[in-house]
Amino acid sequence: MGLSLSDSGLIQTKAFINGEWVASNSGAEFPIFNPANGETIAQVTNVGEQEAKDAIEAAQASMQEWKVKSPAERSNVLQRWHDLIIDNADDLASILTLEQGKPLAEAKGEILYGASYLKWFAEEAKRIYGDILPSAQDRRSLVIKQPVGVVAAITPWNFPNAMITRKVAPALAAGCSIVLKPAPETPLSALALAELADRAGVPAGVFNVLPCLNAEEVGEVFTSSTTVKKLTFTGSTPVGKLLLRQCADTVKRTSMELGGNAPVVVFDDADIDLAVAGALASKFRNSGQTCICANRLLVQEGIYDRFLSKFIDAIKAFRLGDGFDKDTTLGPVITDKALMGIDAVVKGAIDQGARLVTGGQSSDLGGWFYEPTVLADVKPDMGIFNKEIFGPVAPVIKFKTDADAIALANDTSFGLASYIYTQDISRIWQVSEALEYGMVGVNETAISSELIPFGGVKESGHGREGSKYGLDDYLETKYICMGGLSA
Ligand code: SIN
């Protein structure tokens, strides 16, 4: 694999089911590639229907003991898992960079970000409160919170660590057990997390990881199972819609964190340097492969030329390269297919009249690299305006009035994150309230953390991850009426 780790036990290539490392029944494996050079870095076991069923069964059995542990016991296990992740952060970051490509410093940032969910929900595990409601004299009305049951999770490759912990931590805190199918591009980070969960004392069967290439096969087992009571998914909107349809037959609870088309709206009165820095950080984080990254830069006409010129100047400082090179600030995209898709979107926009200002092609570095790209004078009727680009490409659109900005920003089926840059307090409130998005960053694009409810509206999904609201997604509310009381 060519990776020197302090703890080689973190490299696991089998499935983790009921506390055991198991090879698939068929013996099949699939390759994992380094996006920086296209080389194969590992072969991972490829599980299917039977292993998914085994994992669900193990999760159901183990949950009976896990859910009745005291909140402090569950909290301690999560805290220990967090501490082990922190202790092994450098190794975990290396594994992540190797299979996902992001620069090592960014990968380390993700490991700490991922760990923060474990710490947060270790604390929240102790704060699952019920309620006593106003009642007639002859009764008392109580509300208790209970774990939803066995959870199935499907997570993406863009954050191979943090998108797992922010589902698993609240699930375990609530008393649920969980069966995870990580993205086939990045299973090594998930399996390393399972190794640390095991060392932290997460009981066998409470957390299971199923690497597999055939997402449909395992997804079908998850969605059709009557044992699985909830499905949580982060990924594309088309796949989310398919999973929702499949979950209808068992009326499963779902959390869907789907695609985005985030506008960064820069008004004439914005602090221009702050806006440029924010747009840049958001657009090029993880090479533009985040659901909340700036997908459209909407810039008011009075500031448009100055913003564009500063934005382009700032882009020149990017250094495209292998994530392990310490000078690299922009890594590859995940696959050659993704690279071709990004290029097609850019070429399509140019054909429709967008002005290519910089970039616009893949680089000759050898892996799956795309040059940071800016397309100016993009119009709402161009294909790129409604496309989740998922690459280092910034379309810039000019607008005139506040009403135009709001209409343009909302002119999409997505509604995950949005950002505005302005100094005007009235405008901040008016525009924030008018934006049809689950999250609004005002003069700030680094909005993610364990402290906030991450999630979207419209076709960006439903449910919230992180914060006190994140636990609700894994809890049922039960009403108990205690009647027959003498007045
Ligand atoms: C995502 O892209 O889905 C997650 C981004 C984040 O947590 O900041």
Side-chain angles (χ1 to χ4, degrees), residues 113 117 156 158-159 162-163 166 234-235 257-258 285-286 289-293 390 416 447-449 454:
Y113 175 42
Y117 286 100
N158 60 343
F159 289 86
M163 295 306 99
R166 90 174 175 198
T234 296
E257 203 263 87
L258 307 177
R285 176 182 177 215
N286 198 13
Q289 303 171 110
T290 85
C291 303
I292 60 167
C293 71
F390 242 61
L416 190 58
I447 57 170
S448 302
S449 95
F454 189 105

Side-chain angles (χ1 to χ4, degrees), residues 43-65:
Q43 294 285 340
V44 170
T45 202
N46 187 15
V47 304
E49 185 181 339
Q50 188 52 52
E51 295 89 342
K53 286 182 174 163
D54 294 345
I56 291 168
E57 202 180 302
Q60 169 71 357
S62 66
M63 199 192 132
Q64 308 319 313
E65 285 186 24

